[in-house]
Amino acid sequence: MHQDDMIKRIRAEHPEATIDIAGEDCNFEVHIVSENFAGQSLLQRQKGILALFKDELGSGALHALTIKAKTPQEKAAESS
């Protein structure tokens, strides 16, 4: 899977998000900062992103996807 395709799919659900992706072939790490994560647990955030790639994960086209999902406030607190 190509990183640009992944970004487009995530952006469809989180249009205002800051998205950084590292990796290649079928192993990726995704960092997403979105206001949409407010009020969601870490598990809810990860499940929501994983659902966007359900078919690719099921077929093996995408083997590993590590997700770091934060709100802008969490990201700012991390930098302090």
Side-chain angles (χ1 to χ4, degrees):
M1 179 161 229
H2 196 272
Q3 290 183 10
D4 290 340
D5 296 328
M6 295 177 74
I7 290 171
K8 286 178 188 174
R9 199 171 296 181
I10 294 167
R11 200 159 300 288
E13 294 293 318
H14 303 275
E16 85 304 335
T18 301
I19 304 166
D20 292 310
I21 299 178
E24 58 185 36
D25 297 326
C26 59
N27 296 301
F28 293 94
E29 183 170 312
V30 180
H31 294 255
I32 307 166
V33 179
S34 174
E35 196 63 55
N36 291 344
F37 295 135
Q40 292 183 355
S41 70
L42 180 58
L43 184 59
Q44 289 171 318
R45 298 171 189 188
Q46 291 177 339
K47 282 184 174 182
I49 299 301
L50 287 171
L52 299 174
F53 301 99
K54 180 177 75 172
D55 293 339
E56 290 80 6
L57 288 164
S59 72
L62 185 57
H63 177 70
L65 182 60
T66 302
I67 300 166
K68 308 283 183 168
K70 299 181 180 190
T71 65
Q73 295 79 14
E74 291 167 339
K75 182 68 175 173
E78 184 180 86
S79 301
S80 299

